[in-house]
Each structure stands twice: as C-alpha cells, then as structure tokens.
Amino acid sequence: MIALATMADPGSFATGPTLIGDWKHGLVDNADLAAPLAFVSILLILLSLVLLVVIKLVIMKVHLPMGRIWPRPEKLFSRGWFPKTKDGLAVLFLVLFVLIPSFFIFTYVVSVEPASFDWGPFMESLMFSFLVAGVVTVIDIALGVPLALYIAKNRTGRLSEVLDVLVNVPLIVPTAALGYSLGVFWTGQNIIPTYDVLLIILAHVAFTYPLVVRNVAGAVEEVDPAFEETARTLGAKPVQAFRRVLYPIIKSSILAGAIMAFTRSLGETGATQAVVASARTAPVYIVELIQLKTASGYYTAGLACIVLIIVSFVFMLALRYITNRRSH
Amino acid sequence: MPDVKLVGLRKSYGGIKAADGLDLEVKNGEYLCVLGPTGAGKTTLLRMISGLLVPDRGKIFFNGKDFTRMEVEERKAALLSQTYALFPQLTVEENIMFGLDIRGADEKLKEQVLISMLDLVRLSGRSDAYPRELSGGMQQRTALARALASGADLLLLDEPLRALDARLRISLRKEIRSLVKTLKMTAIHVTHDQDEALVMADRVAVIREGRILQIGTPKEVWDEPATPFVANFVGQSNFFTGEVLQSSPFTLLRTPEGTVLKGRSSDLAPGTTAVLGVKIGNTDISKERKGYLKAKVERIIFEGRNLHVDLMIDNGQRISSKVPSWRKGKIAPGDVVDIYWEGSKGTVFPMPPNGLENELKVE
C-alpha cells in the first residue's frame, strides 16, 4: 500500500519497493537490472529480519518505565482538560489526515471536466483482482487454520514457538522484496508451470496467510481447552469436537482473518508488480493510469479509486458486523 | 456400569510427581470420593481415567479390559469439570443433547431423554436459555444433565461444587448423589472438601503426593485413619508422641513427661516411639472430671454450632478442642481444664519416618 501511495505520486521520488517495481518493468528491455534488483530485494528482506529480531529483543529486554507510578501527573492526566483534549486531537487527526484526504477523490472526480472513461480495462482488472483475492483467501483459510490450531495448542512446544515467530516474517518484509524473491523462486523451478495468475496468487498467499494464522491462533488461545476436552469425554471424535465446539467459537475470528487477507490481497501493488511486471490487478492498473500523466488518465484513476474505496469500505463494514456478533 | 481398576499409575511433569504409583479399585455402581489437598494429584488422576492424559507407567482397566490407551471418546466416561465448560453457543437443550447428537441417536430417543433429564435437574422451563443466562447452580445442573445424558457409564466429577455458594453446595451434594444412584452410574468425584466427601461418598480415598493413603467408608476414614495425615486432613486431630507401653486391649503411651495416654489397640511393639492422634471433636475439656492432661485455655472462637477452643498443655504444646456452643460462658480464656478422650477415639500410629511435622504438612 505504501508502494501504491508513493507510486501514485507522479514525482521521481522512489522508496525501496517502488524501485523494485520500476526496475522489474525495465527488466524486459534491460537484463542488467536483474542483479541490482536482487540486491535491493535481499537488502530489504535482511533489514526487515534484523528489525524483527531487534524489536523482539528490545521488547523482551528493555523495560519501559511503565512500572513506575507518578501520582501527580497521572492524576492530572486522568481528569479535566487533558482527556478531553486527547480525545479531541485523536478525532481531529483521523478526520484531517486520514478521512478527508482519502475521500477527497470524490470531490476531485466531481469537479474535474469528465473525460471519456473506458470501463472495460478497469472492470477487467477489478474482476481479476477479485478472482485473485478470492482464491488467495480460500487457500489462506485452508492452510492457515490448521497451522493456527497447531501453534495455539502446542504452546509449550519449542517448534510452535519458532513457527509463531516465523509466520510473522512475511508481514514484516516489504511485500515488493518478498514478491521479487518469490518470483525468482517460482520461475527458477521447473516442477510447477509458471502462469502469471498462479505466481500472483502464490505471492499473495505468502503475505496474507499470516493474517489468518495470527487471528485464528489468537482466538484459539483464548478458548478454554476444557470445552474440547469435555466434548471428547461426552463421546465426540476430535473432528467432531472441533466442528461442533471450537469452530463455532472461533468462526468470527476466521472470518475476520479472511476479510483482512482478502482486502490486503485486493490492495497489493508492489508485490504483484515485483512478481509479474505485466500483471493487471486493479491497484496496478490505477498506478499505470497515473503514470500516463494525462487528464483523462487522472480522471479514470479517480473513478477507479472510488470503486476500490467503496469495495474496501463495504468489506470493513462486513468485518465490523462479524466481529460485533462475536460478543453474542 | 464399569468397575474401574488402576494399577501402579505414574505421571510426572518435569520433576513433580502428580501420580506416584496410584492403585485404586472402584466398584460397579459405587460413588467414590477422592479427597486430598490442592496439588495432591486429584485432577491428574481424573484426567488419566478419562483418557485426556496418558500415564507414564501403569495400567487402567474398565471391567477388566485394558483401557490405558483407549481413545477418550470410546471410554464412556463423562467429565464434569470445575468450570462446567458448557458450550456457549448452544442452548441448555442443545448442550444436554450434545452426546446423543454426535452419536446420531434417533429423534424419539433424544426427546425422551431430554424430557426426563430436564425434569431430573429441574430445568424444564429454561431449555431454550443460553448458558450465560443461567445462574451458577443452573449451569452446574445443566452440565450434570449433559454428562448424564451422554450415555456414559462412568461419571468423573472434578470439584463440581467449588464455584457455588455454601448453601447451594450443600443442597446439590444430595442431588448429584441421588441422580447418580438413580441412573446406576459409577462416579469418581474429586474434592478437597472433607465434608463433601464424607456426605456424598460410598467410599472415600484420601490422596496425597500422587499416592492413595487410605480408602474406606467415610466412617472408617474418620474413625480409623491409616496415617497421621489422614487423621488430621479429615477432621483435624491433636497429636501426642510417646513410648508404647502396651498395645492390647488398649494401647498405652507414655509421654516424655511421664503422663500415660490411652488409644485403640494397635500392633505396635512395646518400647517403640509412636504418635497418638485424637480428633479435636473427640478431645473433651472439663473442669470437674479428672483427665489425662491439664491445659490452659488460650482463646475461644465461636463458630455457631460449636466452640473452637485453643489450649496449651504444661509442656508448651498447643492443642485444640471442639465443644458444643451451649458451654459458652462456662469456660473462659485463662481457665485451667482437664483434657479427656475415650480410649476408643484415640488412634496410635508408628512414628512417621520423616517426622510428625513433615507428615502433617499440607502444601
């Protein structure tokens, strides 16, 4: 998403992920870019891993002075003007820096002279994105839930601890670097045919899968093991105990994880481009429109953005609805 | 209706032995209470019988068949846990029907069982309620009905009354026992509450540090404790050490101060060091009658029905006595009283190998 936001700015500024995207495009005519491309990817992956380890260590070793008690300031901050100001600023920030800029596109599209808009390619790319996101989500659930169950139920085991950390890696590594690495890996082997769609799906699974695992593992850990154990003593086979007892309790978490994975896949630009330069998912299409630097391009991009925003918003509402039901 | 037999069960977690050679035999249709302090291995015992835990060593037999590694769901041993573990997304009715549902029982049977179960546990009006809408007692009864309706022969109860208030607990004791008896099930009930065990059980097994110390009827465990620990854990005792003078028809014990104390007959050889235990409820105090010892009243605690009297004997040892409340006013702190008990109420034990204090410790 950062890559998308940065690339949407038509200036020449480049972050690591956008650089990968651009060079991957250039790779078609200029094979010399392969080496620096790999280098940047490796750099990004290494940096993120180092960051992950450092953060882990810092959290474990360094004790923030939260244990100390400061009676006077804490009293001051608990009552009167401070909480009100804090709440006010928080809301103001949300509106000013997040909501207004996000929805500004509506006013832009309305105010600008309408240009001819060819819905065809955009709808095509949108359908493609939905297809990819849908397949990715199904794979995530099918593979993620079993791993989450394993991690949550073997908390004392060393292996589950290691898996728990490793599963975060795709979330930490910039998706563009991850995408490039995946692209190199999958095209380098000769066992599975490398269709573009397949590559994109594989890449998207890699970085959305942890979202499902995280959500579900967290939910399973919250559930008292006595539920499943009691079900077993009442005559339920392990599968029945899961389906009849545990599944209904964690269902909303599985759905929440699935929706997060779906929207993440829908919005991903950097990784998609890094895997297959010519891929035409909706966000990639929007970036391409902007890179045309024409009035009609901007206008079309604006409309496309609105559709994406609406779709994402609908999913957010669905997520809210589902997670609210959890308390029932 | 199984009889359950455990032979030499062992289970340890790291260095802690939760089961250290457990032997236990439960008869068909029996209500057995396993009584012991926290950390004695009670829950481990129950989990091994239910199959949720595999013992490191030893065997479990149901009806003479080796069930040690039988799958949990094949054992027909329903567990009623401390937290009830009612399935939150199912109604009372669906919870109770869980066991029959997953076996695919036919509708007619299910309906019959449901009606009789709801009736038995007095929840007929609440069958559509969700567990969170029920009071603690109702939740308890729903969990019980679910276990009873599952078609299990053996009921495993893990401190089932722990989370309830005192009055409810007492009324549910009778209720659970009579339900189990009506349905002719075998029950193994684990508790740390001696009153609960004595009231509910056909037989009581006292467990400590992963071993069964004594198994017997509530009366046997109360009146003829096998070890000083049992004497103290089931109804608190006073202990006196001394040298055995004779062991039949009464055991006579001479304390280091030269006082001679009396207890039931034993098989201890004269001359050995022994411990005499007397329940505090059997330790009588009197100002008129001559007793074995003299003691000074230190304090008196009013407990409603009884008075708990703390006393100090001449040699500095502290003992206690429980006397009926009507005697309040006749004794006061500072009084010197005589200590007396019936010879048949004193039990004599050989001196525990690691000392009396360690023996009595409840961790």
Side-chain angles (χ1 to χ4, degrees):
Chain A
M1 275 318 236
I2 300 167
L4 172 63
T6 331
M7 284 169 109
D9 179 11
S12 57
F13 178 73
T15 63
T18 58
L19 195 66
I20 292 179
D22 285 348
W23 285 0
K24 175 89 184 186
H25 271 290
L27 198 56
V28 185
D29 338 293
N30 186 358
D32 288 346
L33 279 175
L37 195 51
F39 178 71
V40 173
S41 300
I42 291 169
L43 212 60
L44 279 174
I45 292 176
L46 283 181
L47 279 175
S48 347
L49 288 180
V50 168
L51 213 62
L52 175 69
V53 171
V54 167
I55 290 173
K56 264 254 165 203
L57 284 180
V58 165
I59 290 174
M60 274 167 16
K61 302 276 183 228
V62 179
H63 299 283
L64 293 171
M66 292 304 269
R68 269 189 79 172
I69 291 170
W70 312 79
R72 273 174 158 280
E74 278 171 0
K75 192 175 166 194
L76 189 68
F77 289 157
S78 302
R79 302 255 181 286
W81 58 270
F82 183 82
K84 289 197 187 100
T85 319
K86 180 197 72 188
D87 296 346
L89 281 178
V91 174
L92 190 69
F93 176 81
L94 175 72
V95 172
L96 203 60
F97 290 94
V98 181
L99 292 181
I100 292 183
S102 296
F103 290 103
F104 191 70
I105 198 81
F106 287 91
T107 55
Y108 172 77
V109 168
V110 172
S111 66
V112 160
E113 191 82 359
S116 64
F117 179 33
D118 183 9
W119 282 98
F122 175 65
M123 276 325 209
E124 217 167 88
S125 66
L126 196 63
M127 290 321 279
F128 182 60
S129 275
F130 270 99
L131 175 77
V132 169
V135 174
V136 163
T137 308
V138 170
I139 297 175
D140 282 347
I141 292 175
L143 299 178
V145 174
L147 183 69
L149 288 174
Y150 180 81
I151 289 177
K153 293 192 173 179
N154 298 285
R155 262 286 162 235
T156 44
R158 192 103 196 112
L159 178 61
S160 114
E161 212 172 289
V162 172
L163 284 176
D164 195 28
V165 174
L166 285 183
V167 92
N168 288 329
V169 168
L171 286 182
I172 306 283
V173 174
T175 47
L178 188 71
Y180 184 63
S181 171
L182 284 163
V184 171
F185 174 77
W186 288 114
T187 44
Q189 52 85 36
N190 290 317
I191 309 149
I192 309 175
T194 52
Y195 304 116
D196 287 354
V197 193
L198 192 63
L199 284 184
I200 294 172
I201 288 174
L202 285 173
H204 283 205
V205 165
F207 61 80
T208 54
Y209 168 77
L211 293 170
V212 174
V213 176
R214 277 265 72 82
N215 256 294
V216 177
V220 174
E221 272 167 46
E222 293 289 306
V223 179
D224 186 349
F227 285 127
E228 266 184 294
E229 288 174 358
T230 306
R232 296 283 311 277
T233 70
L234 293 170
K237 304 255 182 297
V239 175
Q240 287 176 316
F242 172 76
R243 197 170 61 83
R244 299 290 304 272
V245 178
L246 188 60
Y247 170 69
I249 301 176
I250 62 165
K251 188 169 61 184
S252 53
S253 298
I254 297 178
L255 273 171
I259 290 177
M260 282 169 81
F262 187 88
T263 49
R264 182 79 201 274
S265 166
L266 200 62
E268 183 58 39
T269 320
T272 319
Q273 278 191 316
V275 176
V276 180
S278 60
R280 268 295 193 77
T281 62
V284 173
Y285 179 67
I286 293 174
V287 171
E288 280 174 3
L289 284 176
I290 288 168
Q291 281 169 341
L292 288 177
K293 300 188 183 175
T294 64
S296 79
Y298 286 137
Y299 179 73
T300 319
L303 277 181
C305 283
I306 289 176
V307 174
L308 260 191
I309 287 174
I310 289 173
V311 169
S312 308
F313 198 74
V314 167
F315 271 99
M316 198 190 75
L317 285 181
L319 182 68
R320 262 188 75 98
Y321 175 69
I322 287 160
T323 42
N324 275 351
R325 263 200 343 204
R326 219 183 286 201
S327 49
H328 277 257
Chain B
M1 323 291 117
D3 52 271
V4 179
K5 193 170 160 194
L6 313 179
V7 184
L9 287 188
R10 285 175 197 280
K11 179 83 196 174
S12 43
Y13 305 102
I16 300 152
K17 287 178 186 161
D20 189 11
L22 270 172
D23 294 308
L24 187 64
E25 232 173 293
V26 189
K27 290 177 212 146
N28 186 355
E30 185 174 36
Y31 199 113
L32 180 89
C33 277
V34 178
L35 175 65
T38 315
K42 304 190 294 281
T43 300
T44 303
L45 169 68
L46 224 48
R47 290 175 70 84
M48 286 193 294
I49 298 173
S50 71
L52 293 169
L53 203 62
V54 179
D56 295 340
R57 238 187 270 169
K59 289 208 178 301
I60 299 169
F61 297 94
F62 281 24
N63 282 333
K65 259 183 268 163
D66 187 351
F67 265 47
T68 317
R69 280 168 197 283
M70 182 64 90
E71 291 296 336
V72 179
E73 60 270 17
E74 310 286 336
R75 298 189 184 207
K76 294 190 153 200
L79 179 71
L80 185 59
S81 75
Q82 281 181 36
T83 51
Y84 317 140
L86 290 172
F87 307 135
Q89 76 286 359
L90 301 182
T91 61
V92 167
E93 176 181 329
E94 290 164 336
N95 262 290
I96 296 177
M97 286 297 97
F98 184 85
L100 288 179
D101 262 346
I102 49 172
R103 291 209 180 99
D106 67 69
E107 290 301 318
K108 217 166 164 192
L109 172 72
K110 272 160 63 177
E111 197 164 324
Q112 271 177 5
V113 173
L114 178 67
I115 290 169
S116 63
M117 274 302 154
L118 285 172
D119 194 44
L120 269 179
V121 297
R122 294 179 287 112
L123 280 167
S124 302
R126 303 303 307 270
S127 63
D128 291 331
Y130 283 92
R132 62 175 178 278
E133 298 163 359
L134 302 176
S135 68
M138 287 178 179
Q139 289 185 11
Q140 219 287 336
R141 301 205 304 265
T142 308
L144 182 65
R146 181 180 62 181
L148 297 176
S150 70
D153 302 321
L154 178 64
L155 187 60
L156 304 170
L157 305 111
D158 189 0
E159 309 239 10
L161 303 173
R162 189 175 202 165
L164 302 173
D165 59 76
R167 190 169 283 274
L168 197 56
R169 209 180 303 163
I170 288 169
S171 71
L172 272 171
R173 280 178 192 164
K174 288 184 211 142
E175 213 166 309
I176 292 178
R177 186 184 148 90
S178 73
L179 280 175
V180 169
K181 288 290 172 190
T182 313
L183 297 168
K184 298 198 171 61
M185 296 171 86
T186 306
I188 301 176
H189 176 144
V190 146
T191 179
H192 66 280
D193 181 337
Q194 49 146 323
D195 294 334
E196 196 172 300
L198 295 174
V199 171
M200 295 181 78
D202 294 324
R203 283 194 306 158
V204 176
V206 182
I207 185 174
R208 186 195 190 196
E209 289 169 353
R211 246 171 301 179
I212 304 284
L213 299 178
Q214 184 176 11
I215 180 161
T217 63
K219 193 169 156 35
E220 281 166 6
V221 172
W222 181 271
D223 284 337
E224 299 159 34
T227 72
F229 178 81
V230 176
N232 201 35
F233 190 73
V234 185
Q236 210 184 337
S237 291
N238 295 312
F239 292 98
F240 307 93
T241 47
E243 187 191 327
V244 176
L245 297 179
Q246 64 164 68
S247 57
S248 179
F250 283 101
T251 306
L252 294 180
L253 203 69
R254 189 172 60 209
T255 66
E257 291 80 36
T259 320
V260 175
L261 308 174
K262 198 161 147 192
R264 283 188 294 123
S265 65
S266 63
D267 47 13
L268 294 168
T272 50
T273 313
V275 176
L276 173 73
V278 186
K279 290 261 146 62
I280 62 168
N282 292 329
T283 309
D284 201 3
I285 55 175
S286 166
K287 285 185 184 165
E288 296 88 32
R289 185 168 54 186
K290 179 103 182 66
Y292 299 111
L293 299 153
K294 286 214 178 289
K296 197 167 133 192
V297 177
E298 288 203 313
R299 63 171 182 174
I300 300 169
I301 300 162
F302 178 67
E303 288 180 342
R305 198 165 299 160
N306 294 314
L307 297 177
H308 181 101
V309 185
D310 283 331
L311 308 126
M312 203 207 296
I313 337 179
D314 294 340
N315 67 3
Q317 189 192 342
R318 288 201 160 78
I319 62 170
S320 300
S321 164
K322 217 170 260 277
V323 297
S325 284
W326 55 263
R327 287 174 66 181
K328 191 166 172 59
K330 303 196 175 183
I331 38 174
D335 287 358
V336 174
V337 292
D338 271 74
I339 307 293
Y340 179 81
W341 59 83
E342 305 235 357
S344 63
K345 300 291 186 193
T347 311
V348 188
F349 310 98
M351 190 67 180
N354 44 5
L356 185 60
E357 212 158 301
N358 279 327
E359 167 70 18
L360 298 181
K361 218 186 317 181
V362 176
E363 61 276 77

